[in-house]
Amino acid sequence: MNSRDRFFAIKFGLIAGVVTSIIYPLMITTHGPGLWPLLLEISFGPMFIISSYSLYLFIKHYGNSFYNEIGWLFTILAGAAILMTNTVQKSVFSMMADMQSTDDHLVREMIRRSFKSGNLTQLGMDFYWDVLVSIGISFFALAILYQKYLPKLLTIAGLIIGIGGLFINMLTFPVPPANNELIDPGPFFAVFYGIVLLFMLHAVFIKKALSA
């Protein structure tokens, strides 16, 4: 990839990052059947992967490291995991509409048991996403130490959020931390990536740093 293609990929990924930042709050507050919630949930994972690729290339431009490569690898897996989690979750919760549409007690009990099994499956997949994104953030945070643009304070914040998020999820497995009246690490993941995104937007579109 030449410099021109790399800079285009970073800019394209930044746009995807902005879209991801819009999708996330809408996705976690919009539930139920319909095309709009489904569109939000299936868009988040791919957009997250594209925006994270932009971060990988940005860090690589200012000083690549082993940590950057590993952070990108785990983030790819995390994006695929959240797409799978969201689609399975959507399928599982569609059973509730089926249960409400029948008065047959036997059918309702079969659906209830199927829902319980499916719900445990999607909770396990949600944990899978949390593990991968926590590790990805931690390695990206370490990669920030080896480049010369992003502030090193982000390393401390990223490690606290990544390791802390992993620890909290392990404490409450398989139930999400929020369901156990603990801190949900999800918004903290979003804040970390959001702050990094702002620094990157400033570098690319205001300082024109990548063209230097």
Side-chain angles (χ1 to χ4, degrees), residues 2 53 87 103 117 133 183 195 210:
N2 58 38
Y53 182 54
T87 52
D103 294 325
S117 175
V133 74
I183 297 174
I195 292 173
L210 289 178

Side-chain angles (χ1 to χ4, degrees), residues 19-91:
V19 174
T20 304
S21 300
I22 296 171
I23 289 174
Y24 178 74
L26 293 174
M27 183 182 71
I28 63 176
T29 57
T30 305
H31 302 286
L35 182 60
W36 175 242
L38 178 62
L39 179 62
L40 292 173
E41 292 179 3
I42 65 173
S43 299
F44 180 78
M47 287 294 173
F48 179 72
I49 292 174
I50 295 172
S51 60
S52 297
Y53 182 54
S54 177
L55 173 58
Y56 162 75
L57 290 177
F58 185 87
I59 292 177
K60 186 175 182 178
H61 179 72
Y62 283 106
N64 197 28
S65 67
F66 161 79
Y67 302 110
N68 191 35
E69 303 286 340
I70 297 298
W72 164 229
L73 174 61
F74 275 92
T75 304
I76 295 174
L77 296 173
I82 194 61
L83 174 60
M84 188 179 300
T85 299
N86 286 344
T87 52
V88 170
Q89 185 181 73
K90 202 73 175 174
S91 298

Side-chain angles (χ1 to χ4, degrees), residues 103-173:
D103 294 325
D104 189 313
H105 294 294
L106 180 59
V107 172
R108 290 173 68 91
E109 180 61 20
M110 290 176 62
I111 294 175
R112 189 190 67 79
R113 293 188 180 188
S114 297
F115 174 80
K116 184 177 180 180
S117 175
N119 191 46
L120 286 173
T121 299
Q122 67 90 13
L123 286 176
M125 295 175 70
D126 188 49
F127 178 77
Y128 174 53
W129 141 260
D130 284 314
V131 170
L132 293 172
V133 74
S134 296
I135 296 174
I137 285 177
S138 298
F139 276 101
F140 267 142
L142 288 171
I144 289 173
L145 282 176
Y146 295 86
Q147 53 77 60
K148 58 183 181 180
Y149 190 89
L150 296 172
K152 302 302 186 287
L153 283 176
L154 286 174
T155 295
I156 299 173
L159 287 174
I160 292 173
I161 292 170
I163 297 173
L166 179 60
F167 180 72
I168 291 174
N169 275 283
M170 289 175 65
L171 281 179
T172 64
F173 177 82

